[in-house]
Amino acid sequence: MIDVLKRTIPEVRIDWQEAGSVALIATVAVVTALIIHRVLFGILRRVTLQSQSEADDLVLRSLSRPVKWAMVAAALAMAAQSLPLLAALWETLSGFVVPALVGWIALAIVRAWVKAVELRLDLAAEDNLRARRRQTRLRILGRIATFVIIFVTLSLVLLSIPGVREVGVTLMASAGLAALAVGAAAQPALKSLIAGIQMALTEPIRIGDVVVINGEWGLIEDIRTTYVVVKVWDERRLVVPTTKFLEEIFQNWTKTTARLMGTVFLYVDPATRLDPIREKALEVIAANPRWDGRVNHMQVTDLSRDAVEVRLLMTAKDSPTLFDLRCDVREAMIVWMAETMPEAIVRGRVLSGPLGPGGALGDPSAAALEQLSDEGG
């Protein structure tokens, strides 16, 4: 250890007595800093206990550890002013310690701020569009700030290493090649960073939005700087690159509001009386607690040779509720038709009758059927 110190700090003469004094003073400085930190944060905890808000408790917990080690570093720096050996050692280590501590404190502040603001958001409200919008912006901007803080901190730490600093000076001398190399290496990270900023500003999606992407229906569970996590209805997770939501087409069912309109299609026999079906359908939808009271309607949307297509329109407060409402209405109508109007169920018909003039079939059709019967016999 002494040999290492001599090589690192050749101008300082080291002896055991001086090393012991340095160790003693450094220990006293560290213990004093820890005591001050404990007393200070003990007082702050008592103050926050008097508050009804959880935000101040959250900030205090986040800052406790980084501030403790920052106070230890400050105590060592103050003690080093009167000890040449400790001063030389601190000058060597400060290039690593100070940027790391500052970056740690900055990260703690950003994360505490994001969590404290999220505590004020009412995500359980029925119309939580504004809360989800703020939550999405907070998380995206928080992760971008985290990326920038870590990048700057690592850069400052690396620049404190003489070998790395010399390499940096050499690269700056050949600025053209360095720019190409750095640009090529940092392209994915910069693209993701820019995509995250664009996502926060334009808001094509928000946390909690219901989307359909690549034929999959799911809920936006988390938005990162490089990817988005989509929770599919069967509890699978789709990990989608952020740029996909900026460059490709997808469906966002809750872009402006969580309320949605859904349909249930029924196919009935063309001879069916539609008024009883309309009356029952409107009654079933209105009686369901999942219906939000906005739209309740029935339309005939298509007619084919074998069936009439009937569309039932209904609305609900959000997509999960709407899906359950559609299932309830579909089941209730099928059961009611089977019990009350079995003649409404679509079926195939075979007509039979006398095959001659004045019969059920015209002359051309009767002749064609007789010819087919003769050939089959």
Side-chain angles (χ1 to χ4, degrees):
M1 181 64 183
I2 295 178
D3 294 337
V4 174
L5 290 175
K6 287 181 177 180
R7 288 197 302 269
T8 307
I9 317 167
E11 68 276 7
V12 179
R13 184 176 179 180
I14 303 174
D15 54 39
W16 287 105
Q17 183 176 1
E18 185 178 6
S21 301
V22 169
L24 179 60
I25 294 176
T27 302
V28 172
V30 170
V31 172
T32 303
L34 293 177
I35 292 175
I36 294 175
H37 173 271
R38 187 176 184 87
V39 173
L40 176 62
F41 273 78
I43 296 173
L44 292 176
R45 287 190 185 94
R46 291 184 179 181
V47 173
T48 56
L49 288 177
Q50 306 299 322
S51 173
Q52 300 296 328
S53 175
E54 298 181 8
D56 47 6
D57 298 333
L58 185 62
V59 173
L60 193 64
R61 287 196 301 268
S62 299
L63 292 177
S64 178
R65 293 183 61 189
V67 169
K68 178 174 69 175
W69 293 109
M71 293 178 66
V72 169
L76 290 176
M78 294 176 61
Q81 295 180 0
S82 59
L83 296 174
L85 177 60
L86 186 58
L89 184 60
W90 173 252
E91 183 179 358
T92 303
L93 298 177
S94 61
F96 304 92
V97 175
V98 174
L101 288 175
V102 172
W104 191 6
I105 293 175
L107 281 177
I109 292 174
V110 169
R111 291 173 179 173
W113 172 71
V114 171
K115 293 180 180 179
V117 176
E118 283 186 345
L119 288 175
R120 301 171 56 185
L121 302 178
D122 186 10
L123 297 175
E126 182 174 345
D127 189 5
N128 59 358
L129 180 63
R130 184 176 180 182
R132 291 190 294 108
R133 177 181 298 170
R134 295 189 63 185
Q135 183 187 34
T136 302
R137 286 184 177 178
L138 278 173
R139 291 195 179 183
I140 293 177
L141 295 177
R143 291 192 175 104
I144 293 174
T146 299
F147 173 81
V148 173
I149 291 171
I150 293 176
F151 179 79
V152 173
T153 301
L154 291 177
S155 300
L156 294 176
V157 170
L158 292 175
L159 286 177
S160 64
I161 303 174
V164 175
R165 188 164 54 242
E166 293 175 1
V167 172
V169 173
T170 304
L171 290 176
M172 290 299 295
S174 55
L177 294 176
L180 290 176
V182 172
Q187 182 179 2
L190 292 177
K191 185 177 180 181
S192 299
L193 181 62
I194 294 173
I197 296 175
Q198 185 177 355
M199 187 83 72
L201 295 178
T202 60
E203 292 186 347
I205 56 174
R206 293 173 295 268
I207 294 176
D209 273 349
V210 177
V211 298
V212 178
I213 185 167
N214 290 342
E216 295 280 2
W217 181 94
L219 190 75
I220 300 296
E221 187 176 47
D222 196 7
I223 301 177
R224 302 273 180 170
T225 53
T226 57
Y227 63 90
V228 176
V229 180
V230 181
K231 181 181 179 182
V232 188
W233 65 273
D234 56 1
E235 298 190 354
R236 290 179 293 126
R237 265 66 173 180
L238 296 181
V239 180
V240 185
T242 303
T243 53
K244 192 175 183 68
F245 289 94
L246 300 174
E247 299 174 355
E248 299 184 12
I249 298 175
F250 67 95
Q251 298 181 37
N252 189 338
W253 289 11
T254 54
K255 175 64 178 173
T256 57
T257 179
R259 299 185 299 179
L260 289 173
M261 179 183 297
T263 59
V264 169
F265 287 96
L266 301 176
Y267 296 90
V268 300
D269 191 89
T272 302
R273 292 178 298 115
L274 298 178
D275 288 339
I277 297 179
R278 176 179 285 105
E279 182 180 350
K280 183 61 178 180
L282 300 184
E283 177 187 344
V284 168
I285 296 173
N288 195 300
R290 295 185 172 93
W291 182 54
D292 63 1
R294 290 188 297 129
V295 177
N296 183 0
H297 192 53
M298 171 180 151
Q299 296 174 321
V300 176
T301 54
D302 197 7
L303 173 64
S304 66
R305 183 185 62 183
D306 301 319
V308 174
E309 182 182 79
V310 177
R311 183 175 69 176
L312 307 180
L313 296 178
M314 62 208 72
T315 53
K317 64 179 182 179
D318 52 37
S319 57
T321 306
L322 178 62
F323 180 82
D324 293 337
L325 173 62
R326 293 170 61 200
C327 293
D328 292 346
V329 172
R330 189 181 295 113
E331 179 181 355
M333 292 303 298
I334 291 173
V335 171
W336 178 81
M337 288 172 58
E339 294 177 352
T340 309
M341 297 184 64
E343 69 277 7
I345 299 175
V346 177
R347 65 198 67 194
R349 287 182 171 83
V350 177
L351 299 179
S352 61
L355 304 180
L361 299 176
D363 292 337
S365 299
L369 288 176
E370 288 180 352
Q371 183 179 358
L372 290 175
S373 301
D374 294 340
E375 291 178 358

